[in-house]
Amino acid sequence: MSGNIQLLNDTLAAARAEGRAALIAYLPAGFPTVAGGIEAIKAVLDGGADVMEVGLPHSDPVLDGPVIQTADDIALRGGVRIADVMRTVREAHEATGKPVLVMTYWNPVDRYGVERFTAELAAAGGAGCILPDLPVQESALWREHAEKHGLATVFVVAPSSKDKRLAEITEVGSGFVYAASLMGVTGTRASVGAQAEDLVERTRAATDLPVCVGLGVSDAAQAAEVAGFADGVIVGSAFVKRMLDAPDHPAGVEAVRALAGELAAGVRGQA
């Protein structure tokens, strides 16, 4: 069973052909429940997101800010397991036909088994993995199995990454490059900043892979700003916050569907 890296590549290429950035959304699996999370993710994709990142909840996140940590805690207390993450990927992809990746720290994958994880993700229709804490120099085993199963390996670069390091990271990545717009953790911010544009320029000098920017984008105006210089706009905390702030689950689902629509208009310059 082969994964959907080609679907991811085609989706990002289609957005570029339309003269716009892709909208990449994030929600953790199992939040607020497994079934409820799947419903919310489908709503985000139906609302206008091009690509979905499904978070594998982790008890010790290094990149995630307080909003996503809160959602992860809810999911973990609810007993979410890797099998639930795979179910989420499968049902989201089958319902929408859009590419779905998993964003995960390395420890759960390592403990689960790389071959088992990649095989199951491919069987679920997954397009790949974003691995924010896996050092490139230690990634050969993962990349071997990901390539075998048709999965993208997306690495994260940051404003602190030197040009030599950007070249090393992008040489072995696939799908796209996740450019963290600033130093720090995920969360909505008043502005995304000039650091992100500089990082995109330096990353593009090292690779032909699409460069997608995350950390800090929360509304259509910011999405439009980032879409002006990046190949993709990644939004996570803003979706989670809409779910957390909603009075009930149906309202949360409609809130994230609406936000996806607003952000989709933003990346198209229609906000």
Side-chain angles (χ1 to χ4, degrees), residues 15-271:
R16 177 179 285 184
E18 292 175 19
R20 66 172 179 89
L23 174 59
I24 303 174
Y26 167 96
L27 278 172
F31 167 68
T33 63
V34 176
I38 291 168
E39 186 183 5
I41 287 167
K42 288 179 184 177
V44 169
L45 288 167
D46 288 341
D50 298 293
V51 179
M52 195 77 208
E53 298 176 10
V54 173
L56 195 161
H58 194 270
S59 57
D60 188 28
V62 295
L63 185 69
D64 299 313
V67 171
I68 291 175
Q69 285 184 30
T70 298
D72 277 6
D73 185 55
I74 290 168
L76 289 168
R77 283 191 282 113
V80 70
R81 296 288 182 267
I82 288 179
D84 300 313
V85 177
M86 299 300 179
R87 174 190 163 192
T88 300
V89 170
R90 183 176 64 253
E91 293 193 19
H93 171 65
E94 287 178 351
T96 64
K98 293 184 176 181
V100 182
L101 300 104
V102 169
M103 186 164 190
T104 180
Y105 297 102
W106 179 244
N107 181 257
V109 178
D110 190 39
R111 291 186 63 184
Y112 197 72
V114 175
E115 168 60 23
R116 180 184 178 195
F117 191 95
T118 51
E120 290 184 7
L121 182 55
C129 248
I130 302 163
L131 298 156
D133 67 339
L134 177 63
V136 167
Q137 61 269 27
E138 297 174 21
S139 67
L141 177 66
W142 164 267
R143 288 186 285 114
E144 174 192 341
H145 288 289
E147 188 172 340
K148 180 172 77 171
H149 290 292
L151 298 169
T153 298
V154 179
F155 289 114
V156 178
V157 299
S160 61
S161 302
K162 305 299 184 188
D163 290 349
K164 180 174 181 291
R165 181 68 174 158
L166 290 176
E168 291 170 354
I169 292 170
T170 56
E171 182 181 4
V172 296
S174 55
F176 62 91
V177 181
Y178 187 126
S181 65
L182 67 167
M183 302 305 294
V185 297
T186 58
T188 61
R189 288 174 172 82
S191 66
V192 178
Q195 280 187 318
E197 189 165 1
D198 174 69
L199 177 59
V200 169
E201 288 179 7
R202 292 194 298 117
T203 306
R204 280 187 174 149
T207 184
D208 291 329
L209 288 172
V211 183
C212 304
V213 171
L215 274 66
V217 179
S218 61
D219 59 31
Q222 289 176 335
E225 176 193 351
V226 173
F229 59 81
D231 298 298
V233 179
I234 303 170
V235 182
S237 295
F239 283 110
V240 175
K241 192 170 188 306
R242 291 275 180 114
M243 292 288 292
L244 288 170
D245 290 347
D248 54 40
H249 181 65
V253 170
E254 290 313 307
V256 295
R257 187 193 309 274
L259 178 59
E262 294 162 17
L263 293 166
V267 300
R268 288 168 171 81
Q270 300 165 353

